[in-house]
Amino acid sequence: MPERSIRNIVSQKEICPGHYQMVIDAPEIAAEAEMGQFLHLKWAAETNSDPLLRRPISFNEIDREHGQLIIVYRVIGRGTKLLSTLEAGDKIDLMGPLGTGFSIPEEKNNFLVVGGGMGIAPLLDLVENLLVADKEVTVLLGAEKKEQLLNLEQYQELNVNLKTATMDGSSGYQGFVTDLLADLTAIEYVYTCGPEVMMATVQEWAQENEIAGQASLEERMGCGTGACLSCVCKIKVETESGWEYQKTCTTGPIFALNEVIFDE
Ligand SMILES: Cc1cc2nc3c(=O)[nH]c(=O)nc-3n(C[C@H](O)[C@H](O)[C@H](O)COP(=O)(O)OP(=O)(O)OC[C@H]3O[C@@H](n4cnc5c(N)ncnc54)[C@H](O)[C@@H]3O)c2cc1C
Ligand code: FES
């Protein structure tokens, strides 16, 4: 059972309307966490059970040097609204690191990272690690409008081939980020996180081009520890039916891209 702990919030700021960045002091977690894993958060004091369930949020960056965890999230409903009211010095109740992390195949050199909407959040740490491993990286980021392209300034400072797409044309190509896939050549491996329809298109493109990869799924979660089955997703396996349900919280959230069934 992953450990639960109460941690100090170092800072919290609104980075664009409805989107927040929180920095949490947690040296032991920062030391062991892997890119792509997530925290299961509860922002109330120990005696407060509103809301009852924790909320899963991925690491945006793991700052091992300062022992801090950085998360970026969008306010969706009650849980994230409450989370956004916390300030530096407040406490947060968390479990983690949870789930599986991204892995980097050593033998590949030319990587593609495709993020859409809030799915951009877990990818920054991955891209930084790809660069540390001396890989060539192309990053495609998509959102409704420029201000929702999370971490855009940080990506612009990195040595990556960066392309953006927005639906209103305020940054880069006007339209779906997946339209940019058609221009790519020499990619050997792909990572993606974002809306299912986007990841399904990336999967189709990867299969057509015989490129392997990984997808980070964001299913609705309850316990976060494998006990409640509320987070299951369909994964291809070699059985008669050809697929089975797997738990996103423990077997995922990172899955082999070609094994995910995005059909609902
Ligand atoms: C592994 C993982 C990593 C995630 N990382 C991020 C991130 O880095 N940044 C970010 O903004 N969001 C992330 N999400 C989505 C985030 O967990 C939801 O937006 C959040 O739980 C919504 O809670 P709420 O109370 O504000 O909304 P409500 O809609 O009121 O939530 C009601 C219930 O549905 C669940 N729920 C609702 N939407 C989602 C969702 N998309 N995914 C999972 N559970 C959901 C909640 O946990 C809660 O139990 C992640 C989800 C998963 C599974
Ligand atoms: S969230 Fe309970 S089993 Fe995954």
Side-chain angles (χ1 to χ4, degrees):
M1 185 74 161
E3 272 189 40
R4 169 195 170 216
S5 58
I6 309 287
R7 304 286 175 164
N8 280 326
I9 294 173
V10 177
S11 65
Q12 159 122 291
K13 63 179 177 192
E14 190 169 16
I15 51 174
C16 65
H19 295 69
Y20 291 80
Q21 182 203 60
M22 182 188 287
V23 181
I24 303 167
D25 188 45
E28 310 85 350
I29 299 177
E32 67 169 293
E34 293 173 27
M35 55 187 176
Q37 289 188 298
F38 67 96
L39 292 171
H40 218 20
L41 299 170
K42 208 164 157 52
W43 32 94
E46 283 182 82
T47 49
N48 190 337
S49 57
D50 173 28
L52 194 60
L53 293 174
R54 292 171 181 275
R55 300 298 193 253
I57 302 287
S58 301
F59 297 118
N60 179 238
E61 281 186 285
I62 302 162
D63 182 348
R64 292 195 174 81
E65 192 186 338
H66 300 100
Q68 295 176 345
L69 308 170
I70 299 153
I71 59 169
V72 170
Y73 63 93
R74 178 190 294 166
V75 172
I76 299 283
R78 176 150 182 81
T80 43
K81 177 73 194 157
L82 283 169
L83 192 59
S84 72
T85 63
L86 293 173
E87 295 175 352
D90 286 344
K91 305 277 183 205
I92 188 152
D93 178 341
L94 57 81
M95 273 166 53
L98 297 179
T100 52
F102 288 113
S103 58
I104 301 177
E106 271 177 39
E107 71 285 3
K108 311 279 186 197
N109 286 309
N110 211 327
F111 288 78
L112 170 65
V113 177
V114 187
M118 280 317 301
I120 296 172
L123 299 173
L124 181 64
D125 209 42
L126 166 69
V127 171
E128 288 171 342
N129 277 282
L130 285 166
L131 292 174
V132 169
D134 217 14
K135 306 295 186 185
E136 294 288 319
V137 189
T138 297
V139 178
L140 306 183
L141 303 180
E144 284 294 319
K145 45 190 166 184
K146 184 178 180 182
E147 64 187 31
Q148 293 175 355
L149 290 167
L150 302 172
N151 301 126
L152 183 59
E153 283 174 16
Q154 281 136 296
Y155 280 109
Q156 284 168 334
E157 284 168 14
L158 296 175
N159 184 21
V160 297
N161 172 23
L162 174 66
K163 293 194 168 74
T164 60
T166 48
M167 297 312 289
D168 69 355
S170 51
S171 174
Y173 171 78
Q174 182 165 14
F176 293 116
V177 66
T178 44
D179 293 348
L180 301 172
L181 292 169
D183 298 334
L184 299 175
T185 52
I187 300 295
E188 294 174 276
Y189 201 84
V190 58
Y191 300 91
T192 187
C193 185
E196 287 213 353
V197 61
M198 183 205 85
M199 292 196 286
T201 307
V202 174
Q203 183 189 57
E204 204 180 311
W205 171 86
Q207 281 169 350
E208 275 165 16
N209 291 280
E210 298 181 356
I211 296 168
Q214 293 165 41
S216 177
L217 304 191
E218 297 196 347
E219 298 293 333
R220 286 179 174 253
M221 287 191 181
C223 68
T225 58
C228 73
L229 301 182
S230 64
C231 66
V232 292
C233 57
K234 277 178 157 180
I235 299 294
K236 288 179 202 161
V237 288
E238 288 180 9
T239 60
E240 207 178 312
S241 66
W243 65 274
E244 67 180 17
Y245 284 118
Q246 293 190 5
K247 296 171 196 169
T248 307
C249 65
T250 48
T251 314
I254 313 301
F255 290 93
L257 178 60
N258 63 354
E259 290 174 5
V260 181
I261 300 177
F262 296 108
D263 62 355
E264 287 162 53

